[in-house]
Structure formats: C-alpha cells, structure tokens
C-alpha cells in the first residue's frame, strides 16, 4: 500500500471518529442522528470493499472506548456518536465509561493538587507560611476547609496510597472510594495498611457503594488492633442534632451505638409497613409520619413533660392577614426557621390553637399574649 493512500485513510478515520477535517476546528462538534447515519454509512471505496463497515452500529465507538480504558482518546470515542443512536446496552456502557473517565480525571487532579501543596509542613512556622489551601480553594472554587480536605487526600494518594491512585487512573475506583480508604487506613501501620489497601482494591471495581462501605468496616474490625478501643470511645459519644434548613425543612441526625440505631430503624420500618394502606406514600414518608406521631403523643398524653409550667408545643408565628388567607407571607417557628403559609394553615386545620400576640409595629417586639386559645371552627 502506498504511503499517500495510508495517509488519506488515517485522515478519513479522524474525520469519522472525531468529527473534524483539515479545514474544520477541532472542537468535536455533535452530529445529528441523520448526519451521523449518512456519514457512517457511506459506501467504502472499491479497494476496501472487503473491510467490515462499522457505521451501522454506533455502539462500536463505546466498545472501543471501553477497550482503550480512560485516556486522551476515550472522550472523543464516547462522543463520536449521538447518544440517541446507541442501543440501550450501549448507553449504559457509555455512562459506565464516563464514570471511569471521571475517576481518572479526579486522579490527575489529585496528583496536581499534591504538586501544588507539596509535602505536609512539619513545624509551626511552616504551617503558618503554608498558603496551599488558599491556592487550591481559588482554583477549585471551594472553601479553604474543603481545600484542606482535598490536599490531605491528595498527599496520601501521592505518597502512601499509590496503588489506590493508580486504580483511580485506571477508572476502577471512584473519588469517594479513594477518599474513604485514605481516611480509614491512614492511621494503620504501613504493612497492615498495604494489606488492607490491596484487599479493598481487589473487588472495589465491582462493588456497590453499600457493599464497599460494609467491606471497609469489616476489614477494619477484623484487622485493626485499635478498632475495639476506638469503637468503645465512639459509642459513648452519642449525638442527636436538629438542624433547620433555609427551605422550610429540617434535618434530624442521630448517632449512637449501632444496635440502638438499628432497633430504632427496625421499629420505624415495621410501623411503615403496618400503615402502608392507611398513610400511603413512600417508606420514608411513613417512617417520618410514625416518628412525628410518636413525638406528638409523647407531648400530649397524660403526664407529658412541661416547660415553664406549660405543655411543650411547636409555636408558629404569622400575620393575622395570612391566617385569613389574604396573603401568603411565610410563617416562623421562633428561634428555628421559616415555613410556608400552607404548612401553618394545615396545622390550623389539624386542630392547632391560635393565641393572639400584640406586637409593636415599629420595633417588632412582643408586647402581650392573649392566654386564651382559639380553634378554627
């Protein structure tokens, strides 16, 4: 074969695979379905008629990307065909390859972050002079605290966890898996750390998130000589924390002994199953309803706890015009957060009492409370 003919074939391959030619910008323009089909199904020259055409099956680009693995050619291959032209299996495989490519990019970002940050400073003065977190924060548009966490993981991947880093570059584990391993194994002796790292990497590429976490926990409990002491200490540090969000929702975070949290979850799950036909909704909806009903019963039953001689209640403050339905100003749970007017009206429909409050219109300060409660007829 003549060299000129081979050169023409190569040029044509790049036009087909990447979507650009000698006179077009190399920006990988997306082809429409019709354009792609017309381009890929052009008849081959007579001298190459015995070649196997690939234009009839755009999944071939995804297959080639999967075979090549995450590298500089993967993205053009994945983007060569319109996603609508792929088969269902081809789309799933393409998404999987994008995930692998993302992991490889995150590995390169970690390597670059480690180069920017350099070795961890040892002395107090070196720490004061270290502005790597600020530099990374500006480049990645995150907070300094988030940048500190990124730098810590990047230094581990560049130093002791090189096998994990290479698994990321190959697309076999994700960024969060690598971070979980570095945070969980960094305190271990070097020989034990290498053993557990190798054990985790053996199957992590095919594990779900839940299976990966279970595997991580089991290896630590089985091999870490400090696990029992750390577990006993952590089990004593019980937390029950309520947080109000800025969208009318709240979060309740509970952390405690595993058998106790499992018992609570089992009870809520059983209540959700029992009330399925009556309450409807999702399992989470019914779990939440069971927890809310328990709290309501605990605060209204005979002998319920009191606060300052009065029953413990959720107080909602709103305007009289909003109660009457003339406007929809958000209501407020004092000291906690804001809720929509519709939530306040549902509380009234459910039997909540109304207490009139006299407020100074200029300062907003509370001047008096009507002790008499009223219910909406």
């Amino acid at each position: 074969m003549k060299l000129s003919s081979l050169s023409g074939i190569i040029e044509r391959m790049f036009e087909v695979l990447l979507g650009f030619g000698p006179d077009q910008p190399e920006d990988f323009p997306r082809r429409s379905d019709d354009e792609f089909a017309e381009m890929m199904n052009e008849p081959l020259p007579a001298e190459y008629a015995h070649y196997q055409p690939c234009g009839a099956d755009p999944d071939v680009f995804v297959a080639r990307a999967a075979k090549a693995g995450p590298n500089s050619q993967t993205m053009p291959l994945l983007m060569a065909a319109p996603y609508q032209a792929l088969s269902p299996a081809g789309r799933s495989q393409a998404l999987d390859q994008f995930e692998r490519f993302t992991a490889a990019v995150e590995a390169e970002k970690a390597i670059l972050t480690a180069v920017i940050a350099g070795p961890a400073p040892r002395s107090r003065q070196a720490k004061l002079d270290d502005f790597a977190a600020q530099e990374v924060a500006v480049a990645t548009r995150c907070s300094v605290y988030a940048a500190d966490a990124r730098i810590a993981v990047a230094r581990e991947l560049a130093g002791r966890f090189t096998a994990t880093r290479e698994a990321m570059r190959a697309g076999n584990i994700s960024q969060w898996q690598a971070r979980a391993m570095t945070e969980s194994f960094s305190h271990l002796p070097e020989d034990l750390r290498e053993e557990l790292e190798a054990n985790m990497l053996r199957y992590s590429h095919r594990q779900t998130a839940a299976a990966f976490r279970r595997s991580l926990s089991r290896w630590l409990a089985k091999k870490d000589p400090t696990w029992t002491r750390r577990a006993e200490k952590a089990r004593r540090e019980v937390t029950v924390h309520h947080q109000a969000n800025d969208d009318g929702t709240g979060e309740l975070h509970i952390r405690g002994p595993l058998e106790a949290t499992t018992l609570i979850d089992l009870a809520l799950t059983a209540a959700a199953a029992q009330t399925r036909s009556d309450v409807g909704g999702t399992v989470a909806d019914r779990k939440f309803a069971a927890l809310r009903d328990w709290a309501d019963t605990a605060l209204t039953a005979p002998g319920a706890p009191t606060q300052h001689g009065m029953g413990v209640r959720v107080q909602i403050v709103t305007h009289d015009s909003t109660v009457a339905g003339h406007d929809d100003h958000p209501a407020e749970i004092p000291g906690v957060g804001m809720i929509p007017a519709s939530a306040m009206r549902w509380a009234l429909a459910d039997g909540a009492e109304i207490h009139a409050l006299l407020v100074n219109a200029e300062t907003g300060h509370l001047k008096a409370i009507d002790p008499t409660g009223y219910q909406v007829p």
Side-chain angles (χ1 to χ4, degrees), residues 146-263:
D148 264 328
R150 291 190 182 195
I151 289 173
V153 175
R155 282 171 172 158
E156 291 285 12
L157 292 174
R160 299 192 301 158
F161 288 82
T162 54
T164 300
R165 180 195 67 202
E166 292 307 311
M168 281 184 70
R169 297 181 83 174
N172 291 332
I173 66 170
S174 64
Q175 180 190 28
W176 77 263
Q177 287 177 310
R179 180 169 183 169
M181 287 175 59
T182 58
E183 292 176 348
S184 298
F185 296 160
S186 59
H187 69 283
L188 298 174
E190 198 61 21
D191 56 343
L192 180 57
R193 184 200 60 74
E194 290 179 353
E195 177 187 351
L196 295 190
E197 182 184 21
N199 289 339
M200 289 298 300
L201 292 177
R202 187 173 294 117
Y203 302 109
S204 58
H205 66 281
R206 66 185 190 192
Q207 287 179 318
T208 63
F212 182 84
R213 291 190 182 96
R214 286 196 300 268
S215 181
L216 197 65
S217 298
R218 286 170 179 166
W219 278 116
L220 280 172
K222 183 178 180 180
K223 293 286 188 175
D224 183 5
T226 67
W227 185 87
T228 299
R229 175 176 55 81
R230 291 190 299 108
E232 290 175 348
K233 179 178 181 295
R235 286 164 59 85
R236 292 191 295 268
E237 298 172 351
V238 173
T239 59
V240 180
H241 175 68
H242 178 239
Q243 172 182 312
N245 298 326
D246 59 3
D247 58 358
T249 66
E251 296 180 17
L252 190 63
H253 176 74
I254 301 175
R255 184 176 184 269
L258 181 60
E259 66 275 13
T261 57
T262 303
L263 175 66

Side-chain angles (χ1 to χ4, degrees), residues 8-356:
I9 293 172
I10 293 174
E11 288 181 4
R12 183 55 183 159
M13 285 175 59
F14 273 96
E15 290 180 23
V16 170
L17 290 176
L18 306 182
F20 64 83
D23 301 324
Q24 294 176 288
E26 299 182 5
D27 56 356
F28 310 132
R30 175 73 60 187
R31 302 280 185 179
S32 69
D33 289 0
D34 293 338
E35 290 174 336
F36 179 82
E38 181 181 357
M39 178 182 68
M40 295 304 297
N41 288 289
E42 290 178 356
L44 294 172
E47 61 268 32
Y48 305 117
H50 60 286
Y51 281 24
Q52 177 66 40
C54 64
D57 185 10
D59 284 14
V60 70
F61 294 98
V62 179
R64 288 178 180 176
K67 184 177 181 180
N71 57 50
S72 59
Q73 297 301 317
T74 303
M75 187 63 72
L77 283 169
L78 289 174
M79 298 181 68
Y83 304 140
Q84 295 86 349
L86 297 172
S87 68
R91 293 169 190 169
S92 297
Q93 189 179 27
L95 186 59
D96 176 66
Q97 292 307 309
F98 274 121
E99 286 293 323
R100 290 168 60 86
F101 189 85
T102 300
V105 171
E106 290 295 340
E108 298 300 328
K109 287 168 61 178
I111 294 170
L112 181 56
T113 300
V115 172
I116 293 173
R122 301 291 183 183
S123 65
R124 182 176 180 275
Q125 186 58 44
K127 291 179 181 178
L128 293 175
D129 295 336
D130 182 19
F131 295 97
Q134 285 79 359
E135 186 175 353
V136 171
V138 171
T140 58
R141 298 173 182 81
C142 68
S143 69
V144 175
Y145 301 104
D148 264 328
R150 291 190 182 195
I151 289 173
V153 175
R155 282 171 172 158
E156 291 285 12
L157 292 174
R160 299 192 301 158
F161 288 82
T162 54
T164 300
R165 180 195 67 202
E166 292 307 311
M168 281 184 70
R169 297 181 83 174
N172 291 332
I173 66 170
S174 64
Q175 180 190 28
W176 77 263
Q177 287 177 310
R179 180 169 183 169
M181 287 175 59
T182 58
E183 292 176 348
S184 298
F185 296 160
S186 59
H187 69 283
L188 298 174
E190 198 61 21
D191 56 343
L192 180 57
R193 184 200 60 74
E194 290 179 353
E195 177 187 351
L196 295 190
E197 182 184 21
N199 289 339
M200 289 298 300
L201 292 177
R202 187 173 294 117
Y203 302 109
S204 58
H205 66 281
R206 66 185 190 192
Q207 287 179 318
T208 63
F212 182 84
R213 291 190 182 96
R214 286 196 300 268
S215 181
L216 197 65
S217 298
R218 286 170 179 166
W219 278 116
L220 280 172
K222 183 178 180 180
K223 293 286 188 175
D224 183 5
T226 67
W227 185 87
T228 299
R229 175 176 55 81
R230 291 190 299 108
E232 290 175 348
K233 179 178 181 295
R235 286 164 59 85
R236 292 191 295 268
E237 298 172 351
V238 173
T239 59
V240 180
H241 175 68
H242 178 239
Q243 172 182 312
N245 298 326
D246 59 3
D247 58 358
T249 66
E251 296 180 17
L252 190 63
H253 176 74
I254 301 175
R255 184 176 184 269
L258 181 60
E259 66 275 13
T261 57
T262 303
L263 175 66
I264 294 170
D265 184 61
L266 286 174
L268 293 175
T269 303
Q274 190 176 30
T275 58
R276 180 178 180 179
S277 58
D278 297 329
V279 178
T282 65
V283 173
D285 291 335
R286 300 194 295 275
K287 281 185 175 183
F288 185 82
L291 196 59
R292 180 199 58 210
D293 292 346
W294 165 82
D296 186 61
T297 301
L299 294 177
T300 56
T306 61
Q307 195 172 46
H308 305 301
M310 301 177 63
V312 180
R313 300 289 186 271
V314 176
Q315 296 180 338
I316 302 174
V317 178
T318 186
H319 296 280
D320 53 357
S321 60
T322 307
V323 174
H326 299 314
D327 56 56
D328 284 317
H329 293 308
E332 181 178 6
I333 301 176
V336 181
M338 310 298 292
I339 62 173
S342 58
M344 174 271 299
R345 295 191 184 109
W346 273 110
L348 292 178
D350 201 36
E353 287 188 341
I354 295 179
H355 288 262

